[in-house]
């Protein structure tokens, strides 16, 4: 599904990611764990086309998308749920969801957009109840649901999630992760970046550990969770 090879990227000529290689198989759920500042967000932004790598390649379903613009990557089945949700605060819940389907709204509205919105409302009934509310007035958990729903409106086959647990109460985090597992069980490939390594390793099948911009370990999630170094460094055990 996703194949990243020797990806190097950074800001203003200062590399943050050093020759990153990783894979997500079709239907797999993979997590990326690492401390604050390890480079998780930078990597997901590269995959979404928001940062241009200085070298290396990104392939989706065998196609090289390294040079493809962010807006075009949705067409390759990749959607990002950004860190901090980034919902459009003054716009309604419904309008935010429509923005996720913007490629199909112009020049002519795709009829399936309404059906996709119903699918999002079925997944998150709370959003259906609040569909006329301004997104900025929602709770943190509801905004996270909206950010996920907005990404789903582009019908991704690979969903990239950046710190979905950030700033949320434990119970809300449980609900969000249950939804992510449900999407994966229905066949969607997932790449999840999390500082909450406990939750991430419990939810994903495979994990990568990122430290100072390098992949330092990768293994089946259960075995990473038992790894002494991972337990001491990331699980606080
Ligand atoms: P966090 O959990 O805090 O988001 P992270 O693992 O996602 O951490 P990144 O946000 O990718 O890490 O940051 C990796 C490095 O890149 C850090 O040293 C950070 O200071 C630097 N960095 C991030 N964004 C920028 C930017 N816009 N300009 C310059 N440097 C940046």
């Amino acid at each position: 599904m996703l194949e990243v090879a020797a990806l190097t990227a950074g800001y203003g000529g200062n590399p943050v990611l050093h020759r990153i290689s990783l894979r997500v198989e079709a239907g797999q759920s993979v997590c990326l764990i690492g401390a604050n500042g390890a480079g998780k967000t930078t990597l997901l932004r590269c995959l979404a086309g928001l940062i241009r790598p200085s070298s290396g390649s990104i392939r989706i379903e065998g196609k090289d998308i390294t040079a493809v613009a962010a807006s075009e990557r949705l067409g390759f089945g990749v959607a990002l749920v950004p860190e901090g949700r980034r919902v459009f605060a003054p716009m309604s819940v419904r309008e935010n969801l429509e923005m996720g389907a913007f490629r199909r709204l112009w020049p002519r509205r795709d009829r399936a957009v309404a059906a996709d919105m119903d699918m999002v409302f079925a997944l998150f009934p709370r959003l259906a109840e609040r569909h006329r509310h301004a997104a900025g007035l929602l709770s943190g958990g509801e905004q996270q649901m909206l950010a996920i729903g907005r990404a789903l409106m582009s019908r991704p086959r690979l969903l990239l999630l950046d710190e979905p647990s950030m700033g949320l109460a434990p119970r809300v985090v449980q609900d969000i992760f249950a939804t992510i597992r449900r999407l994966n069980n229905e066949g969607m490939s997932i790449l999840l970046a999390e500082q909450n390594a406990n939750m991430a390793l419990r939810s994903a099948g495979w994990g990568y550990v990122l430290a100072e911009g390098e992949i330092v370990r990768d293994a089946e999630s259960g075995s990473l969770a038992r790894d002494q170094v991972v337990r001491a460094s990331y699980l606080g055990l």
Side-chain angles (χ1 to χ4, degrees), residues 29-34 40-41 44 79-87 124 139-151 159-181 183 190-204:
S29 176
V30 173
C31 68
L32 189 63
I33 60 171
K40 303 181 295 297
T41 295
L44 291 195
L80 172 69
V81 181
E83 183 174 32
R85 351 298 177 200
R86 305 277 185 115
V87 296
F124 298 116
S139 70
E142 290 164 349
Q143 289 191 10
Q144 187 62 62
M145 293 172 201
L146 182 55
I148 295 173
R150 181 180 57 187
L159 191 62
L160 309 171
L161 295 129
D162 195 352
E163 302 257 2
S165 76
M166 191 197 240
L168 302 182
R171 193 148 162 225
V172 181
V173 172
Q174 298 281 356
D175 288 349
I176 295 287
F177 272 78
T179 304
I180 296 169
R181 281 194 296 274
L183 291 169
I190 305 280
L191 179 60
L192 164 79
E194 260 298 340
Q195 267 194 63
N196 186 339
N198 268 308
M199 276 309 288
L201 290 172
R202 256 185 267 141
S203 154

Side-chain angles (χ1 to χ4, degrees), residues 50-65:
L50 300 168
I51 296 175
R52 183 147 293 200
S54 51
S55 60
S57 66
I58 303 167
R59 298 175 85 83
I60 287 287
E61 294 170 337
K63 297 177 212 88
D64 191 326
I65 60 156

Side-chain angles (χ1 to χ4, degrees), residues 1 59-79 103 154-158:
M1 173 84 225
R59 298 175 85 83
I60 287 287
E61 294 170 337
K63 297 177 212 88
D64 191 326
I65 60 156
T66 320
V68 171
S71 57
E72 297 304 314
R73 287 199 193 192
L74 294 173
F76 287 84
V78 183
R103 287 171 56 88
S154 70
R155 297 186 178 178
R157 296 185 293 286
L158 172 66

